[in-house]
Amino acid sequence: MNQTERQRVSDGVVTSILSGCQYKPWQLVLILPQLGDFDSLEYAWWLRRDAEQLSQQPITIRAVGIGDRSSGQRFCDYTGFPPACLFVDRSAELHQTLDLYSGLSLKLPGLSPGVNAGLNLMLMCAGIGSPGTLAEVFRGYRGDAKAPQLIGDDEIVRATPLPPLKGSFFQWAGGRGFQRPFELATLRLRNMTEVLTNWKTYVPNSAYLTQRGATFLFNQQGKLLYEHRDRAILDFAANMSNPLSFLSGFVTPNKY
């Protein structure tokens, strides 16, 4: 990873993705799929949710996503992910170098790579070549007692075509203090609306729609402490109820 260079979204400079990471003992590196992918947007949401806590800890976060600088700028504007920490890979070269799951790859003759990728993506959303995706989709609708509450009671969520919803609305579906029914599904609908409205910006090359990502945690010496390689859509964490919970197993309790 130390030698890997990509374009940084904040200034357009091609530089090491780990530039500036040497001053903190832990380095969290996210290899995201398309920046308009469900997983990328949802992962960024969790990072923003825990941003205050993470900023007080000796962890540096870097992410590489498939897209161009315009994709990255839109992604950061929408998710709040810091553009100085996001790098873009136009052709998923890093994903291929790391041998990450490229997704379902059925090819129908006469169709362009982008159209084939779109058909494969739809099949993966239906669970074909994407184990666990349907179960994770259903979890977003039924709720999850093991997951934290996702939307504050006073927060207003705008997810077209739904009317604006106040967070307190979800207590009628089950209470407070945990992920209520339809809560996660509403956030995912908001993400989907954002991407479809700005499709060409988020997805400048649709040939890589099915490509999956990974999570890596390194120490200051560059030793790999943890990895999770995505095998499906909505599989960006081993514990989808709390995707960043793995950090507590590696970062010492008195520092995290």
Side-chain angles (χ1 to χ4, degrees):
M1 288 290 184
N2 285 322
Q3 306 302 318
T4 301
E5 295 186 345
R6 290 295 183 275
Q7 185 181 39
R8 187 165 52 206
V9 170
S10 59
D11 54 13
V13 172
V14 176
T15 186
S16 168
I17 66 173
L18 295 183
S19 174
C21 291
Q22 64 270 29
Y23 304 109
K24 292 188 178 181
W26 289 283
Q27 301 162 6
L28 180 61
V29 180
L30 314 178
I31 310 300
L32 303 174
Q34 286 275 2
L35 289 173
D37 193 275
F38 288 120
D39 295 36
S40 301
L41 296 169
E42 195 166 318
Y43 210 157
W45 183 91
W46 279 98
L47 289 166
R48 184 175 184 179
R49 178 185 183 274
D50 293 346
E52 183 176 352
Q53 183 184 15
L54 289 170
S55 69
Q56 298 171 0
Q57 312 308 326
I59 303 173
T60 302
I61 301 173
R62 294 290 186 269
V64 181
I66 303 172
D68 56 23
R69 193 178 176 207
S70 294
S71 309
Q73 290 170 330
R74 182 77 199 190
F75 179 87
C76 292
D77 288 344
Y78 175 67
T79 65
F81 193 88
C85 299
L86 178 63
F87 296 75
V88 289
D89 188 327
R90 294 171 179 264
S91 56
E93 183 181 351
L94 180 57
H95 302 67
Q96 295 161 21
T97 299
L98 294 170
D99 195 28
L100 302 183
Y101 181 44
S102 60
L104 196 64
S105 57
L106 300 177
K107 295 181 180 179
L108 297 180
L111 298 181
S112 68
V115 172
N116 267 313
L119 292 173
N120 281 309
L121 180 67
M122 288 190 288
L123 291 172
M124 289 180 70
C125 288
I128 300 172
S130 188
T133 295
L134 288 180
E136 178 57 27
V137 169
F138 293 144
R139 187 180 71 88
Y141 287 100
R142 72 171 184 269
D144 184 352
K146 297 180 180 179
Q149 181 173 323
L150 305 182
I151 302 173
D153 289 344
D154 295 326
E155 182 179 351
I156 303 297
V157 180
R158 291 175 172 81
T160 306
L162 298 177
L165 296 174
K166 192 172 182 180
S168 57
F169 165 82
F170 293 95
Q171 68 180 303
W172 301 108
R176 291 191 180 95
F178 65 96
Q179 180 190 309
R180 286 77 58 87
F182 300 103
E183 193 175 13
L184 179 55
T186 301
L187 294 179
R188 287 172 174 169
L189 175 61
R190 180 174 66 181
N191 289 343
M192 183 174 69
T193 301
E194 162 68 13
V195 172
L196 293 179
T197 304
N198 302 280
W199 180 260
K200 290 185 178 180
T201 301
Y202 276 111
V203 186
N205 187 343
S206 57
Y208 307 104
L209 284 174
T210 60
Q211 177 67 57
R212 298 296 91 202
T215 297
F216 301 101
L217 180 68
F218 300 93
N219 65 13
Q220 199 168 27
Q221 291 71 43
K223 179 182 178 182
L224 179 63
L225 303 177
Y226 173 87
E227 68 175 336
H228 174 81
R229 293 171 177 261
D230 311 351
R231 297 299 304 172
I233 294 173
L234 296 177
D235 179 49
F236 60 84
N239 177 12
M240 288 295 290
S241 297
N242 194 341
L244 296 173
S245 60
F246 71 91
L247 288 172
S248 63
F250 298 94
V251 181
T252 54
N254 63 322
K255 291 185 179 180
Y256 182 74

